[in-house]
Amino acid sequence: MLVLVTGATSGIGKSTAQLFAKNGYDLIITGRRKDRLESVSKELQATYKVKVLTLCFDVRNFSEVENAIKSIPAEFKNIDILVNNAGLAAGLSAIQSGDLSHWERMIDTNIKGLLYMTREVCKGMIERKKGHIVNIGSIAGKEVYANGNVYCATKHAVDALNKGMRIDLLPHNIKVTAINPGMVETEFSIVRFDGDEEKAKSVYNGMQPLKPEDIAETIYWVATRPAHVNINDVIIMPNVQASATNVIRDSNAK
Ligand code: NDP
Ligand code: 8X3
């Protein structure tokens, strides 16, 4: 079995690649940071003796996506599972003061990148009449919170695309699932706050967020259900988080 994970250089994508490799799956891992891709690939091959192909490209650029998928050698062509994970939040501002470059980055990565990858990878799945696409949405795709406007809109788009894809790909025996996490401690908040590590850390002050491994386990679980079962949609939260903004924190935490 072969899994393609986008955004496997960090966080949820990296943990997902590790868990599938541990279970004997071959992998295609993608991201923009070549050095990180190579080191994840070396680790997976050495530890788990699986085959790993690295593809270094930006999901926002359709010709890069198209060329990367065309360049895949025969032994890696039959992708069984696509995990559309690459994504980000950039900034947290009221709509009237949003940074345009943040908006473009989120829309281009979270919506257009996911669409480009799906379009190119599902062609082979349709030919083989078999496949599974797992889209990483968010609690931000189910609810909207103050200053989250555009990020929430991109994840609401993922929610809609997840449903649309499932309908369109139904005649082709392709399963489609969305995993929608609450707070997960990865590089997500560091990216959101443009590299401000202190600010990023404070997001998780006095609470236990999810770990990327928790999401990897959920992705692995949905991908290993029997052929007649599809998990449509999962919302997974830290036990101290009831909704996007209702979080119980230890009052002694700094
Ligand atoms: P990380 O920042 O740790 O990982 C993001 C990954 O996406 C990296 O591997 C990065 O690789 C890749 N990526 C980002 N932009 C691009 C791009 N333009 N082209 C290719 N790859 C790209 O964050 P997470 O692991 O937390 O995020 C993974 C997904 O989970 C995202 O879709 C996020 O929205 C979602 N999510 C996260 C939550 C959280 O609280 N952490 C909660 C809910 C959903 P590189 O930089 O090398 O290109
Ligand atoms: C990430 C979770 O609540 O920061 O998608 O939007 S949240």
Side-chain angles (χ1 to χ4, degrees):
M1 293 281 277
L2 174 63
V3 189
L4 189 159
V5 183
T6 66
T9 56
S10 155
I12 295 169
K14 183 175 170 185
S15 287
T16 302
Q18 285 167 331
L19 184 59
F20 276 97
K22 189 175 174 188
N23 285 283
Y25 287 67
D26 294 325
L27 280 145
I28 303 176
I29 54 173
T30 87
R32 292 163 301 176
R33 288 171 287 183
K34 197 171 175 36
D35 50 340
R36 291 226 197 167
L37 275 180
E38 293 308 329
S39 91
V40 174
S41 167
K42 271 193 197 136
E43 176 209 320
L44 299 183
Q45 292 185 68
T47 314
Y48 304 115
K49 314 289 174 223
V50 293
K51 287 189 276 182
V52 182
L53 176 72
T54 61
L55 294 176
C56 186
F57 64 92
D58 190 325
V59 295
R60 291 173 293 181
N61 183 319
F62 180 67
S63 36
E64 284 188 30
V65 172
E66 198 180 26
N67 291 336
I69 303 302
K70 275 195 188 132
S71 77
I72 295 175
E75 60 174 333
F76 285 96
K77 279 268 185 236
N78 296 345
I79 298 164
D80 296 291
I81 303 163
L82 165 64
V83 183
N84 273 323
N85 164 75
L88 79 162
L92 191 65
S93 314
I95 200 78
Q96 65 276 20
S97 47
D99 177 325
L100 285 191
S101 73
H102 282 165
W103 291 2
E104 311 287 2
R105 256 166 80 201
M106 291 189 279
I107 292 167
D108 289 353
T109 311
N110 300 355
I111 306 178
K112 290 161 76 177
L114 178 140
L115 280 171
Y116 296 161
M117 286 302 301
T118 302
R119 184 179 189 274
E120 293 312 294
V121 173
C122 80
K123 290 175 186 171
M125 292 178 170
I126 290 171
E127 270 169 31
R128 294 187 298 280
K129 298 182 172 47
K130 182 172 162 286
H132 194 162
I133 299 173
V134 181
N135 295 312
I136 309 304
S138 170
I139 189 64
K142 304 288 184 181
E143 300 173 25
V144 177
Y145 52 86
N147 302 325
N149 42 62
V150 176
Y151 178 66
C152 295
T154 66
K155 290 299 186 177
H156 275 70
V158 172
D159 191 45
L161 288 170
N162 186 63
K163 292 171 187 152
M165 275 181 210
R166 186 177 311 113
I167 295 166
D168 294 348
L169 297 173
L170 180 66
H172 304 287
N173 192 36
I174 298 172
K175 297 185 185 186
V176 180
T177 301
I179 309 291
N180 301 286
M183 296 159 81
V184 189
E185 192 163 11
T186 60
E187 293 177 14
F188 177 84
S189 292
I190 301 173
V191 172
R192 172 170 241 169
F193 298 121
D194 289 326
D196 184 338
E197 297 201 11
E198 277 302 301
K199 197 168 176 185
K201 223 174 171 34
S202 72
V203 171
Y204 312 106
N205 263 353
M207 57 89 64
Q208 170 66 64
L210 293 168
K211 300 175 181 168
E213 294 83 356
D214 298 320
I215 309 306
E217 279 178 15
T218 310
I219 297 170
Y220 185 74
W221 180 76
V222 301
T224 51
R225 294 308 83 216
H228 69 287
V229 177
N230 184 57
I231 307 299
N232 284 1
D233 204 41
V234 176
I235 299 178
I236 171 170
M237 307 289 279
N239 72 328
V240 293
Q241 184 182 12
S243 70
T245 49
N246 280 76
V247 180
I248 298 289
R249 295 179 194 266
D250 176 354
S251 53
N252 295 318
K254 289 189 186 145

